[in-house]
């Protein structure tokens, strides 16, 4: 069992930056693929970024490519999402997710564990 706790969400102006963190419990974190998803009001949860177990492979949604960076520190059981050049349309609850897999996972149904989410609000 893995528990995920996100942090770092807050109100920020457009053009600003934020770094989200996701702390994972358990000794098997390094064997999990990790991802970030987001859900805006009235919309479905959508893929943002994913990283494989070692951090050697990443994948991004087109809407965030070049602005967001996913990374992980297996020694700290933590995955990060660095968000730069934020836009009002990035406003959403951001969720961290873990999958019992080694590769890069981009679909919601590939993930086994979810955090409670952290709110990111970007003002124009």
């Amino acid at each position: 069992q893995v528990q995920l706790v996100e942090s770092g969400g807050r109100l920020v102006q457009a053009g600003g930056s934020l770094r989200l963190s996701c702390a994972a419990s358990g000794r098997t974190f390094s064997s999990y693929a990790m991802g970030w998803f987001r859900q805006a009001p009235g919309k479905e949860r959508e893929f943002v970024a994913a990283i494989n177990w070692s951090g050697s492979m990443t994948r991004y949604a087109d809407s965030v490519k070049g602005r967001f960076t996913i990374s992980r520190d297996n020694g700290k059981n933590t995955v990060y999402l660095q968000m730069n050049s934020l836009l009002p349309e990035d406003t959403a609850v951001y969720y961290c997710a873990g999958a019992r897999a080694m590769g890069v996972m981009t679909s919601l149904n590939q993930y086994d564990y979810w955090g409670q989410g952290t709110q990111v609000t970007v003002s124009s």
Side-chain angles (χ1 to χ4, degrees):
Q1 188 74 11
V2 174
Q3 290 186 323
L4 304 173
V5 179
E6 302 97 333
S7 62
R10 62 177 176 85
L11 173 66
V12 63
Q13 287 190 331
S17 297
L18 278 180
R19 189 177 80 158
L20 304 183
S21 299
C22 173
S25 65
R27 292 176 288 180
T28 58
F29 173 77
S30 62
S31 65
Y32 283 72
M34 300 297 295
W36 287 95
F37 291 77
R38 67 186 182 186
Q39 188 167 17
K43 295 187 177 181
E44 294 186 350
R45 193 171 299 189
E46 64 176 4
F47 167 73
V48 174
I51 190 166
N52 72 331
W53 68 277
S54 67
S56 63
M57 295 174 58
T58 59
R59 195 163 297 173
Y60 298 92
D62 288 344
S63 58
V64 307
K65 203 171 293 183
R67 300 188 297 121
F68 290 10
T69 302
I70 187 171
S71 61
R72 66 189 297 162
D73 185 336
N74 287 343
K76 295 182 178 180
N77 279 16
T78 301
V79 62
Y80 304 98
L81 184 67
Q82 178 67 42
M83 305 187 294
N84 299 328
S85 303
L86 282 161
L87 304 169
E89 48 263 47
D90 294 320
T91 295
V93 177
Y94 283 71
Y95 296 90
C96 172
R100 291 190 298 263
M102 306 295 273
V104 177
M105 307 294 156
T106 62
S107 297
L108 276 77
N109 59 9
Q110 293 176 305
Y111 285 86
D112 304 291
Y113 304 105
W114 292 86
Q116 82 290 347
T118 186
Q119 176 70 48
V120 172
T121 303
V122 184
S123 64
S124 58

